[in-house]
Amino acid sequence: MAGKTDIAPDVSINACAYRRVLEIISSKWIVLVMHVLEDGCKWYGEIARRIEGVSQKMLTQTLRQLERDGLVSRRGHPTIPPAVDYALTPLGESLMEVVRGFRDWTRVYYPQVERAREEYDRRMEAGAL
Amino acid sequence: MAGKTDIAPDVSINACAYRRVLEIISSKWIVLVMHVLEDGCKWYGEIARRIEGVSQKMLTQTLRQLERDGLVSRRGHPTIPPAVDYALTPLGESLMEVVRGFRDWTRVYYPQVERAREEYDRRMEAGAL
DNA sequence: CGGTATCCGAACGGATACTG
DNA sequence: CAGTATCCGTTCGGATACCG
């Protein structure tokens, strides 16, 4: 304990902005749901149908998180059967702009990533012999 | 099967750019490692010390993934004991620019997210009674 | 020093059944 | 329709031990 030299870790990294964004966007479905809501308010069922492979559990969970973070707004209609719709809030829209930056990067550079992967895998395979 | 109405899901979402970026950045440590490498080449040990809470396993795993994706380059030095350093590639730097967009968003808007969460939790607590 | 391999608990996430 | 609750397999990720 006392003998340990106090080379402090870059604490800022622990508390820094990156960790916080990651909490939000690192979930697999968050970005996809936001993308569906990009062009306006949607019913729950429509969101579900538009995102292939999402389970009801994950969709609801994702929408809850987005609502809690103030990124989407939820409106329930007291009809029978009940209907609910979701929309991006202004805060959500502002985040969406940044997310678009990621999408654009991917469109331009993803082929390079794929090539790098193939090359790496070939090198590894060769090295494993 | 045949009886199912063919309401196709928005397939583009499945194959779209977002899924691909998420593969890369949704990992908890990727962005943090990139941040450490932002200002130049670093030894393995230095990266480890700068990121609080990262285990050796996860750091190595993260660096492997970044290397495979062509985002960082790895140089081993055949000294005794061996030393290894890592640096962002040009491709990695280009992604870093987008990542900075997220950091900046967080710096500006995160307080709003925190307030939204507190408000939501208060509403839930009240509703649960 | 910079890994790799193994073990194991914790968390993620899908399938299913039930509710208002 | 839009959830909630439960079960349960899969994956994530830390701790430990060992290798070059």
PDB file of all heavy atoms in Angstrom, chain B residues 29 55 57-58 82, chain D residues 13-15 17 20:
ATOM      1  N   TRP B  29     -14.009  -0.233 -24.112  1.00  0.00           N
ATOM      2  CA  TRP B  29     -12.649   0.274 -23.978  1.00  0.00           C
ATOM      3  C   TRP B  29     -12.063   0.897 -25.239  1.00  0.00           C
ATOM      4  O   TRP B  29     -11.117   1.675 -25.180  1.00  0.00           O
ATOM      5  CB  TRP B  29     -11.716  -0.846 -23.504  1.00  0.00           C
ATOM      6  CG  TRP B  29     -12.167  -1.470 -22.223  1.00  0.00           C
ATOM      7  CD1 TRP B  29     -12.731  -2.700 -22.069  1.00  0.00           C
ATOM      8  CD2 TRP B  29     -12.127  -0.894 -20.906  1.00  0.00           C
ATOM      9  NE1 TRP B  29     -13.032  -2.940 -20.756  1.00  0.00           N
ATOM     10  CE2 TRP B  29     -12.673  -1.838 -20.022  1.00  0.00           C
ATOM     11  CE3 TRP B  29     -11.678   0.329 -20.402  1.00  0.00           C
ATOM     12  CZ2 TRP B  29     -12.790  -1.602 -18.647  1.00  0.00           C
ATOM     13  CZ3 TRP B  29     -11.799   0.574 -19.047  1.00  0.00           C
ATOM     14  CH2 TRP B  29     -12.342  -0.376 -18.189  1.00  0.00           C
ATOM     15  N   SER B  55      -8.590  -4.350 -17.159  1.00  0.00           N
ATOM     16  CA  SER B  55      -7.797  -5.540 -16.858  1.00  0.00           C
ATOM     17  C   SER B  55      -6.873  -5.813 -18.036  1.00  0.00           C
ATOM     18  O   SER B  55      -7.121  -5.367 -19.153  1.00  0.00           O
ATOM     19  CB  SER B  55      -8.707  -6.725 -16.620  1.00  0.00           C
ATOM     20  OG  SER B  55      -9.395  -7.071 -17.800  1.00  0.00           O
ATOM     21  N   LYS B  57      -6.436  -8.518 -19.581  1.00  0.00           N
ATOM     22  CA  LYS B  57      -7.165  -9.270 -20.599  1.00  0.00           C
ATOM     23  C   LYS B  57      -7.927  -8.357 -21.546  1.00  0.00           C
ATOM     24  O   LYS B  57      -7.837  -8.488 -22.761  1.00  0.00           O
ATOM     25  CB  LYS B  57      -8.132 -10.241 -19.920  1.00  0.00           C
ATOM     26  CG  LYS B  57      -9.016 -11.009 -20.864  1.00  0.00           C
ATOM     27  CD  LYS B  57      -9.967 -11.912 -20.085  1.00  0.00           C
ATOM     28  CE  LYS B  57     -10.948 -12.591 -21.000  1.00  0.00           C
ATOM     29  NZ  LYS B  57     -11.844 -13.489 -20.243  1.00  0.00           N
ATOM     30  N   MET B  58      -8.680  -7.428 -20.969  1.00  0.00           N
ATOM     31  CA  MET B  58      -9.502  -6.558 -21.799  1.00  0.00           C
ATOM     32  C   MET B  58      -8.652  -5.597 -22.622  1.00  0.00           C
ATOM     33  O   MET B  58      -8.978  -5.305 -23.763  1.00  0.00           O
ATOM     34  CB  MET B  58     -10.494  -5.779 -20.936  1.00  0.00           C
ATOM     35  CG  MET B  58     -11.642  -6.611 -20.408  1.00  0.00           C
ATOM     36  SD  MET B  58     -12.344  -7.727 -21.641  1.00  0.00           S
ATOM     37  CE  MET B  58     -13.031  -6.584 -22.833  1.00  0.00           C
ATOM     38  N   PRO B  82      10.915  -7.802 -23.530  1.00  0.00           N
ATOM     39  CA  PRO B  82      10.301  -7.262 -24.742  1.00  0.00           C
ATOM     40  C   PRO B  82       9.474  -6.015 -24.461  1.00  0.00           C
ATOM     41  O   PRO B  82       8.942  -5.855 -23.367  1.00  0.00           O
ATOM     42  CB  PRO B  82       9.412  -8.401 -25.239  1.00  0.00           C
ATOM     43  CG  PRO B  82       9.148  -9.236 -24.035  1.00  0.00           C
ATOM     44  CD  PRO B  82      10.368  -9.130 -23.188  1.00  0.00           C
TER      45      PRO B  82
ATOM     46  P    DG D  13     -17.188  -6.623 -21.922  1.00  0.00           P
ATOM     47  OP1  DG D  13     -17.679  -5.242 -21.758  1.00  0.00           O
ATOM     48  OP2  DG D  13     -16.298  -6.964 -23.052  1.00  0.00           O
ATOM     49  O5'  DG D  13     -16.490  -7.054 -20.570  1.00  0.00           O
ATOM     50  C5'  DG D  13     -17.237  -7.120 -19.371  1.00  0.00           C
ATOM     51  C4'  DG D  13     -16.411  -7.795 -18.305  1.00  0.00           C
ATOM     52  O4'  DG D  13     -16.470  -9.231 -18.457  1.00  0.00           O
ATOM     53  C3'  DG D  13     -14.904  -7.451 -18.346  1.00  0.00           C
ATOM     54  O3'  DG D  13     -14.473  -7.204 -17.038  1.00  0.00           O
ATOM     55  C2'  DG D  13     -14.287  -8.702 -18.926  1.00  0.00           C
ATOM     56  C1'  DG D  13     -15.174  -9.741 -18.288  1.00  0.00           C
ATOM     57  N9   DG D  13     -15.101 -11.075 -18.866  1.00  0.00           N
ATOM     58  C8   DG D  13     -14.897 -11.423 -20.182  1.00  0.00           C
ATOM     59  N7   DG D  13     -14.867 -12.718 -20.379  1.00  0.00           N
ATOM     60  C5   DG D  13     -15.062 -13.260 -19.106  1.00  0.00           C
ATOM     61  C6   DG D  13     -15.127 -14.606 -18.686  1.00  0.00           C
ATOM     62  O6   DG D  13     -15.028 -15.619 -19.377  1.00  0.00           O
ATOM     63  N1   DG D  13     -15.350 -14.702 -17.309  1.00  0.00           N
ATOM     64  C2   DG D  13     -15.481 -13.627 -16.460  1.00  0.00           C
ATOM     65  N2   DG D  13     -15.686 -13.905 -15.175  1.00  0.00           N
ATOM     66  N3   DG D  13     -15.424 -12.362 -16.844  1.00  0.00           N
ATOM     67  C4   DG D  13     -15.212 -12.251 -18.172  1.00  0.00           C
ATOM     68  P    DG D  14     -13.158  -6.264 -16.746  1.00  0.00           P
ATOM     69  OP1  DG D  14     -13.628  -4.867 -16.649  1.00  0.00           O
ATOM     70  OP2  DG D  14     -12.100  -6.622 -17.714  1.00  0.00           O
ATOM     71  O5'  DG D  14     -12.695  -6.742 -15.290  1.00  0.00           O
ATOM     72  C5'  DG D  14     -13.654  -6.899 -14.252  1.00  0.00           C
ATOM     73  C4'  DG D  14     -13.241  -8.045 -13.341  1.00  0.00           C
ATOM     74  O4'  DG D  14     -13.429  -9.305 -14.029  1.00  0.00           O
ATOM     75  C3'  DG D  14     -11.773  -8.018 -12.884  1.00  0.00           C
ATOM     76  O3'  DG D  14     -11.705  -8.226 -11.474  1.00  0.00           O
ATOM     77  C2'  DG D  14     -11.116  -9.152 -13.657  1.00  0.00           C
ATOM     78  C1'  DG D  14     -12.278 -10.116 -13.883  1.00  0.00           C
ATOM     79  N9   DG D  14     -12.153 -10.903 -15.104  1.00  0.00           N
ATOM     80  C8   DG D  14     -12.044 -10.430 -16.385  1.00  0.00           C
ATOM     81  N7   DG D  14     -11.953 -11.379 -17.284  1.00  0.00           N
ATOM     82  C5   DG D  14     -12.005 -12.547 -16.545  1.00  0.00           C
ATOM     83  C6   DG D  14     -11.958 -13.897 -16.965  1.00  0.00           C
ATOM     84  O6   DG D  14     -11.844 -14.342 -18.109  1.00  0.00           O
ATOM     85  N1   DG D  14     -12.042 -14.773 -15.888  1.00  0.00           N
ATOM     86  C2   DG D  14     -12.157 -14.401 -14.576  1.00  0.00           C
ATOM     87  N2   DG D  14     -12.218 -15.380 -13.676  1.00  0.00           N
ATOM     88  N3   DG D  14     -12.207 -13.139 -14.169  1.00  0.00           N
ATOM     89  C4   DG D  14     -12.125 -12.277 -15.199  1.00  0.00           C
ATOM     90  P    DA D  15     -10.229  -8.086 -10.758  1.00  0.00           P
ATOM     91  OP1  DA D  15     -10.484  -7.417  -9.484  1.00  0.00           O
ATOM     92  OP2  DA D  15      -9.227  -7.540 -11.709  1.00  0.00           O
ATOM     93  O5'  DA D  15      -9.835  -9.612 -10.478  1.00  0.00           O
ATOM     94  C5'  DA D  15     -10.819 -10.536 -10.022  1.00  0.00           C
ATOM     95  C4'  DA D  15     -10.147 -11.868  -9.718  1.00  0.00           C
ATOM     96  O4'  DA D  15     -10.161 -12.684 -10.900  1.00  0.00           O
ATOM     97  C3'  DA D  15      -8.683 -11.768  -9.295  1.00  0.00           C
ATOM     98  O3'  DA D  15      -8.422 -12.697  -8.236  1.00  0.00           O
ATOM     99  C2'  DA D  15      -7.907 -12.116 -10.560  1.00  0.00           C
ATOM    100  C1'  DA D  15      -8.857 -13.062 -11.277  1.00  0.00           C
ATOM    101  N9   DA D  15      -8.771 -12.984 -12.740  1.00  0.00           N
ATOM    102  C8   DA D  15      -8.691 -11.859 -13.505  1.00  0.00           C
ATOM    103  N7   DA D  15      -8.641 -12.083 -14.794  1.00  0.00           N
ATOM    104  C5   DA D  15      -8.702 -13.462 -14.889  1.00  0.00           C
ATOM    105  C6   DA D  15      -8.701 -14.345 -15.992  1.00  0.00           C
ATOM    106  N6   DA D  15      -8.628 -13.941 -17.256  1.00  0.00           N
ATOM    107  N1   DA D  15      -8.767 -15.668 -15.735  1.00  0.00           N
ATOM    108  C2   DA D  15      -8.834 -16.078 -14.466  1.00  0.00           C
ATOM    109  N3   DA D  15      -8.850 -15.350 -13.338  1.00  0.00           N
ATOM    110  C4   DA D  15      -8.780 -14.036 -13.633  1.00  0.00           C
ATOM    111  P    DA D  17      -2.760 -17.696  -8.251  1.00  0.00           P
ATOM    112  OP1  DA D  17      -2.740 -18.609  -7.089  1.00  0.00           O
ATOM    113  OP2  DA D  17      -2.044 -16.403  -8.198  1.00  0.00           O
ATOM    114  O5'  DA D  17      -2.284 -18.496  -9.534  1.00  0.00           O
ATOM    115  C5'  DA D  17      -3.124 -19.507 -10.108  1.00  0.00           C
ATOM    116  C4'  DA D  17      -2.486 -20.030 -11.381  1.00  0.00           C
ATOM    117  O4'  DA D  17      -2.787 -19.117 -12.474  1.00  0.00           O
ATOM    118  C3'  DA D  17      -0.958 -20.120 -11.310  1.00  0.00           C
ATOM    119  O3'  DA D  17      -0.526 -21.363 -11.856  1.00  0.00           O
ATOM    120  C2'  DA D  17      -0.479 -18.948 -12.166  1.00  0.00           C
ATOM    121  C1'  DA D  17      -1.606 -18.827 -13.181  1.00  0.00           C
ATOM    122  N9   DA D  17      -1.737 -17.486 -13.754  1.00  0.00           N
ATOM    123  C8   DA D  17      -1.772 -16.292 -13.076  1.00  0.00           C
ATOM    124  N7   DA D  17      -1.878 -15.245 -13.852  1.00  0.00           N
ATOM    125  C5   DA D  17      -1.919 -15.785 -15.133  1.00  0.00           C
ATOM    126  C6   DA D  17      -2.026 -15.204 -16.403  1.00  0.00           C
ATOM    127  N6   DA D  17      -2.120 -13.891 -16.600  1.00  0.00           N
ATOM    128  N1   DA D  17      -2.039 -16.034 -17.482  1.00  0.00           N
ATOM    129  C2   DA D  17      -1.954 -17.347 -17.273  1.00  0.00           C
ATOM    130  N3   DA D  17      -1.851 -18.010 -16.125  1.00  0.00           N
ATOM    131  C4   DA D  17      -1.842 -17.166 -15.088  1.00  0.00           C
ATOM    132  P    DG D  20       7.193 -21.071 -23.711  1.00  0.00           P
ATOM    133  OP1  DG D  20       6.883 -22.120 -24.688  1.00  0.00           O
ATOM    134  OP2  DG D  20       8.207 -21.280 -22.661  1.00  0.00           O
ATOM    135  O5'  DG D  20       7.626 -19.752 -24.488  1.00  0.00           O
ATOM    136  C5'  DG D  20       6.727 -18.959 -25.228  1.00  0.00           C
ATOM    137  C4'  DG D  20       7.418 -17.640 -25.607  1.00  0.00           C
ATOM    138  O4'  DG D  20       7.283 -16.708 -24.514  1.00  0.00           O
ATOM    139  C3'  DG D  20       8.913 -17.764 -25.877  1.00  0.00           C
ATOM    140  O3'  DG D  20       9.262 -16.904 -26.946  1.00  0.00           O
ATOM    141  C2'  DG D  20       9.570 -17.277 -24.585  1.00  0.00           C
ATOM    142  C1'  DG D  20       8.545 -16.250 -24.099  1.00  0.00           C
ATOM    143  N9   DG D  20       8.482 -16.083 -22.642  1.00  0.00           N
ATOM    144  C8   DG D  20       8.605 -17.067 -21.682  1.00  0.00           C
ATOM    145  N7   DG D  20       8.467 -16.585 -20.459  1.00  0.00           N
ATOM    146  C5   DG D  20       8.245 -15.233 -20.636  1.00  0.00           C
ATOM    147  C6   DG D  20       8.023 -14.208 -19.684  1.00  0.00           C
ATOM    148  O6   DG D  20       7.979 -14.307 -18.464  1.00  0.00           O
ATOM    149  N1   DG D  20       7.841 -12.964 -20.293  1.00  0.00           N
ATOM    150  C2   DG D  20       7.877 -12.748 -21.657  1.00  0.00           C
ATOM    151  N2   DG D  20       7.670 -11.511 -22.049  1.00  0.00           N
ATOM    152  N3   DG D  20       8.074 -13.704 -22.554  1.00  0.00           N
ATOM    153  C4   DG D  20       8.253 -14.911 -21.975  1.00  0.00           C
TER     154       DG D  20
END
